[in-house]
Amino acid sequence: PTTASFLHRNHIFLKLHYFLYFSAFGMLIPILTITLRSRGLSNTELSYINTIIPFIVFFTNPLCGFIAD
C-alpha cells in the first residue's frame, strides 16, 4: 500500500463534502448564538436552541437519505 492510501479517488468528493459541511456548522453555531442574543433571546432560550439543533440534524440526515434513495 502507498503512504496516501486513505485518499481514494472515489471518496475524495465525499470527504470534501463532510469537511465543508461540518466546518460550516462550526462557523455557524457561535455566530448564531451571538445573533440570537442580540435579538433579545435569553440564555435559557439559547441553550434550548443549541440543544435542539444536533437532534434535528441527527434525525433529518437519515430522513433525507431515505428520501434520496
Side-chain angles (χ1 to χ4, degrees), residues 11-57:
H11 298 147
I12 195 75
F13 290 114
L14 184 62
K15 291 179 181 185
L16 180 66
H17 167 73
Y18 273 107
F19 175 75
L20 294 174
Y21 179 77
F22 286 112
S23 59
F25 264 110
M27 291 185 296
L28 177 70
I29 297 301
I31 294 171
L32 180 66
T33 304
I34 293 169
T35 303
L36 293 177
R37 183 171 289 153
S38 70
R39 293 185 181 249
L41 271 69
S42 67
N43 287 336
T44 305
E45 293 168 331
L46 288 173
S47 65
Y48 287 149
I49 291 171
N50 286 333
T51 303
I52 291 171
I53 287 175
F55 288 107
I56 291 173
V57 170

